[in-house]
Amino acid sequence: MEKNALRKLYIAELKDLYSAENQLVKALPKMAKAADSEDLKAGFEEHLEQTRGHVSRLEKIFKALGESPKGKTCKGMEGLIEEGSEMIKEDPEAEELDAGLIAAAQRVEHYEIAGYGCVRTYAELLGEEDAVELLEETLKEEKETDEKLTELAGKINVEAQVSEDSEEEQAERNTPRKASKTRAARA
Ligand code: FE
């Protein structure tokens, strides 16, 4: 590919990520507010801080390129966030809600990992060494977030299972034990 064409593609992909990160800065507080698990809430809040850092790294890269970061809307991220908020609106039980939030957040992370992986490769090909470093830092944080979400998914999905079992037991025995059992499992 001609270097100019690659530079154009590089900038377009960076703009897409800039839009995606800014959408996330708005969505993450809503996800933190919706989450039932304290660990998940804290995880979203921590990632919000990181995401603000991702925005400023992209701004640094654009500044060095002499280009504006604006002018593109990341429709992929719009769709992912929309699916997440639809799930919240359905108002599921606490454990199901958390499991759903984790699924939505992991889709977001994988989408970002793909995007950052591409722009990092383009930056390497274009000899943009400072940008490679900045993009790698963000890529590392996105991957770490994905791993933390996988850990939380393990925990929370087990709790969802416990709640389901207790519902069955409750039906059998006709005793209202669901709330206390769920709470005990969570503690
Ligand atoms: Fe990010």
Side-chain angles (χ1 to χ4, degrees):
M1 199 192 296
E2 201 191 314
K3 199 171 176 180
N4 256 347
L6 180 61
R7 189 177 187 274
K8 230 175 130 185
L9 185 61
Y10 175 55
I11 290 166
E13 293 284 344
L14 284 172
K15 280 180 192 250
D16 201 70
L17 280 166
Y18 187 73
S19 162
E21 296 283 21
N22 277 299
Q23 290 181 49
L24 258 190
V25 166
K26 286 188 197 144
L28 279 165
K30 291 176 198 163
M31 293 169 84
K33 201 180 156 209
D36 182 68
S37 142
E38 288 305 319
D39 286 349
L40 186 57
K41 252 184 214 298
F44 284 145
E45 274 155 17
E46 191 193 326
H47 195 57
L48 173 62
E49 281 318 301
Q50 283 184 331
T51 301
R52 290 196 176 109
H54 300 171
V55 169
S56 53
R57 279 187 198 129
L58 288 171
E59 282 167 349
K60 253 189 219 170
I61 293 170
F62 276 105
K63 209 174 170 199
L65 287 167
E67 299 279 345
S68 163
K70 291 180 183 152
K72 212 167 184 277
T73 301
C74 177
K75 293 190 184 124
M77 186 61 80
E78 262 185 352
L80 292 174
I81 291 172
E82 177 62 28
E83 282 190 2
S85 41
E86 271 172 20
M87 192 275 303
I88 295 170
K89 271 186 221 141
E90 282 167 17
D91 200 22
E93 292 289 316
E95 290 89 352
E96 286 161 45
L97 171 73
D98 281 352
L101 284 170
I102 290 172
Q106 283 198 288
R107 282 197 183 89
V108 164
E109 289 315 310
H110 283 239
Y111 188 80
E112 287 190 297
I113 289 165
Y116 278 106
C118 285
V119 288
R120 185 210 38 202
T121 302
Y122 298 162
E124 272 168 7
L125 291 168
L126 290 164
E128 299 279 347
E129 282 165 31
D130 292 346
V132 170
E133 222 169 275
L134 290 166
L135 294 168
E136 249 164 26
E137 278 173 51
T138 297
L139 190 54
K140 196 176 143 234
E141 286 174 0
E142 309 289 21
K143 285 180 181 168
E144 284 168 358
T145 301
D146 180 48
E147 279 162 25
K148 277 185 206 159
L149 286 165
T150 299
E151 267 174 47
L152 283 175
K155 265 187 178 171
I156 288 164
N157 287 337
V158 168
E159 286 177 4
Q161 187 61 49
V162 168
S163 172
E164 226 169 69
D165 290 349
S166 75
E167 260 168 47
E168 281 165 24
E169 282 167 30
Q170 193 185 318
E172 275 173 34
R173 295 177 196 163
N174 202 19
T175 49
R177 290 186 54 202
K178 188 194 161 198
S180 61
K181 200 165 181 187
T182 306
R183 233 170 265 137
R186 209 181 288 157

